[in-house]
Amino acid sequence: MALLVQKFGGTSVGTPDRMRAVADHVTRTVRRGDQVVVVISAMGKETDDLLRMAREVSNTRPGREMDMLVTAGERKATALLCMAIADLGVEAESFTGSQAGFLTDATHTNAKIIDVQPDRIRASLAAGRVPVVGGAQGQSAQRNVTFLGRGGSDTTAVALAHALGADSCELYTDVPGVFTSDPRIVTDARKMEHITFDELLEMTANGCPKPAMRSVEFARTHGVELHVRSAFTWESGTVVTKESTMEQAIVSAVVHDADEAKVTIGGVADRPGVAAHVFRALADADINVDLIVQNTSDQGVTDISFTVPHGDLDNAVAICEVAGAEVGFTRVTAEPAIARVSVVGAGMKSHPGVAATVFETLAANDINIEMIATSAIRVSCVVAESDIERAVVALHDAFGLADGPVYVD
Ligand code: ASP
Ligand code: MG
């Protein structure tokens, strides 16, 4: 008998028919002899709808009330799924995040989990029931309802799997697993059977939209096995595990992020403290800076380019203009039309030549590289946004990813 956490995303429970299909799957799993804890998102686009309604009624939107509002989506879904499961002759019980023992900090709209004390979930399992937990929610020390942020249900599922010592955390979604590239762009992208936490973390940090990056980080830290799979075909998906003695693919995937914009500050004095000043100001404004490149200095001045999400571009430019006046650089330019392509693979650590192949492939396709960054298992290039789809297709092809991974020998 296994203990499984099964998490269902919004599309998976988006309609009454989908709810019944999910209830059917959960019930079958239970009848097979396994124990199941369900974590569920709000139905369909309900979270977006609630956020829109809040914007329509209020300019203030206090965080405490936003969280009370948004978590209602998941709460409704838990009750409906329990009813659908009951119809199939299995007892199910709905729980809000706070009932399920999720204690968080008080950062409304983006709370962090501090502890999970799932006593009531354990009791529900022991009584032979299926606990159904609202995703992305908890309660603060002040006993206010908190929301874990967009995509937070994945994190709820992983944290609960860890707290309960579950055998696996199954993330059911509208795609069959993790692909070697975005299948909407690369027609022969392949679903991967396995991937390591480190690789998936790099992928989600570099444009792969699912699962939520925070949940992958949590799973990696606590060694929670993940299984990303389809709630439409129910076929087996992608299993995410620690790096093992398993063969290491040199390159596993090509991901891209078009939500990138570039800022360049020019005429920067090449002396200690200038970069510190600028990036502290950006950090204080909560701007998540990604790639940073500083040029070699020429006659005591240099320039620094960095990327930010599109939504932060105007703010980043304004902050740099203020900082420029303070530390004396001469120019701030913004380039919105850029995108980043990244090649990820755990085996490249011990295998030279991946960067060379990336650059050669882009060159052969006449794609200019504007910035380059690497980690131990990733090579990223910033290119013009208009080149991004060609870059992704060419790199996927160059590393032969459609045919299956090439392993380190
Ligand atoms: N429903 C919320 C969202 O769409 C939280 C989640 O389900 O992950 O972000
Ligand atoms: Mg862009």
Side-chain angles (χ1 to χ4, degrees):
M1 183 176 76
L3 172 59
L4 304 174
V5 172
Q6 298 189 328
K7 181 261 168 178
F8 297 93
T11 331
S12 306
V13 292
T15 63
D17 281 348
R18 292 296 323 155
M19 275 282 181
R20 282 193 294 269
V22 166
D24 181 60
H25 181 73
V26 170
T27 312
R28 279 171 203 273
T29 314
V30 170
R31 295 225 158 95
R32 192 174 71 196
D34 291 329
Q35 285 187 308
V36 181
V37 177
V38 176
V39 172
I40 191 172
S41 288
M43 291 174 76
K45 297 262 169 265
E46 176 151 29
T47 306
D48 292 325
D49 294 343
L50 292 170
L51 291 171
R52 187 171 28 75
M53 267 196 266
R55 284 194 301 273
E56 283 169 11
V57 297
S58 167
N59 291 321
T60 333
R61 299 192 291 278
R64 182 184 184 281
E65 307 314 323
M66 286 303 285
D67 286 7
M68 188 66 107
L69 173 74
V70 168
T71 53
E74 275 75 15
R75 183 173 176 153
K76 276 162 67 177
T78 57
L80 289 167
L81 183 63
C82 287
M83 294 177 199
I85 293 175
D87 269 19
L88 301 174
V90 169
E91 263 188 276
E93 271 182 322
S94 59
F95 294 92
T96 64
S98 42
Q99 290 175 327
F102 279 80
L103 305 176
T104 74
D105 67 11
T107 318
H108 283 295
T109 75
N110 201 18
K112 300 272 174 304
I113 298 171
I114 291 171
D115 195 15
V116 186
Q117 296 171 354
D119 322 355
R120 293 188 66 180
I121 305 304
R122 282 199 197 94
S124 180
L125 286 169
R129 305 194 182 107
V130 175
V132 176
V133 179
Q137 52 186 269
Q139 99 174 349
S140 64
Q142 298 77 29
R143 294 191 156 203
N144 286 316
V145 170
T146 53
F147 181 56
L148 304 184
R150 300 311 303 268
S153 294
D154 289 349
T155 312
T156 298
V158 175
L160 199 50
H162 171 60
L164 294 168
D167 296 289
S168 180
C169 179
E170 302 182 331
L171 302 176
Y172 288 86
T173 176
D174 51 3
V175 290
V178 181
F179 280 74
T180 51
S181 214
D182 185 342
R184 286 167 300 189
I185 293 178
V186 180
T187 48
D188 57 0
R190 186 175 44 81
K191 184 186 86 186
M192 291 180 265
E193 305 291 322
H194 290 277
I195 189 163
T196 65
F197 289 126
D198 288 347
E199 288 172 308
L200 187 59
L201 192 57
E202 288 278 7
M203 289 174 71
T204 55
N206 289 280
C208 176
K210 282 177 193 169
M213 181 166 71
R214 258 168 84 187
S215 72
V216 181
E217 258 173 328
F218 195 104
R220 181 176 72 154
T221 307
H222 299 284
V224 178
E225 182 190 286
L226 297 179
H227 186 173
V228 182
R229 54 188 302 186
S230 167
F232 289 79
T233 64
W234 305 108
E235 70 196 292
S236 168
T238 304
V239 175
V240 192
T241 51
K242 278 206 291 277
E243 205 170 284
S244 62
T245 47
M246 227 162 53
E247 294 172 289
Q248 296 288 308
I250 297 170
V251 169
S252 291
V254 178
V255 293
H256 73 285
D257 191 350
D259 183 26
E260 288 266 295
K262 177 168 134 186
V263 178
T264 301
I265 52 181
V268 183
D270 194 9
R271 61 176 162 77
V274 176
H277 184 83
V278 175
F279 289 96
R280 167 53 58 203
L282 292 163
D284 288 345
D286 235 359
I287 293 179
N288 211 346
V289 172
D290 185 37
L291 268 176
I292 305 174
V293 172
Q294 173 173 325
N295 282 332
T296 47
S297 77
D298 185 13
Q299 305 189 335
V301 290
T302 182
D303 48 59
I304 301 176
S305 294
F306 58 91
T307 63
V308 293
H310 267 148
D312 286 334
L313 180 61
D314 293 343
N315 204 1
V317 168
I319 286 165
C320 287
E321 275 163 357
V322 173
E326 286 159 3
V327 291
F329 50 80
T330 50
R331 189 163 42 78
V332 181
T333 50
E335 264 178 80
I338 55 127
R340 180 164 37 111
V341 60
S342 305
V343 167
V344 175
M348 72 172 73
K349 271 196 292 245
S350 58
H351 187 91
V354 172
T357 304
V358 170
F359 304 153
E360 280 162 4
T361 305
L362 295 177
N365 286 275
D366 214 18
I367 295 170
N368 190 43
I369 302 170
E370 296 191 31
M371 296 165 96
I372 299 169
T374 62
S375 78
I377 64 167
R378 170 177 56 87
V379 178
S380 297
C381 296
V382 169
V383 301
E385 196 168 271
S386 53
D387 286 334
I388 191 67
E389 297 200 358
R390 284 196 306 121
V392 171
V393 171
L395 290 168
H396 192 266
D397 196 44
F399 288 101
L401 294 181
D403 307 324
V406 176
Y407 293 106
V408 177
D409 20 71

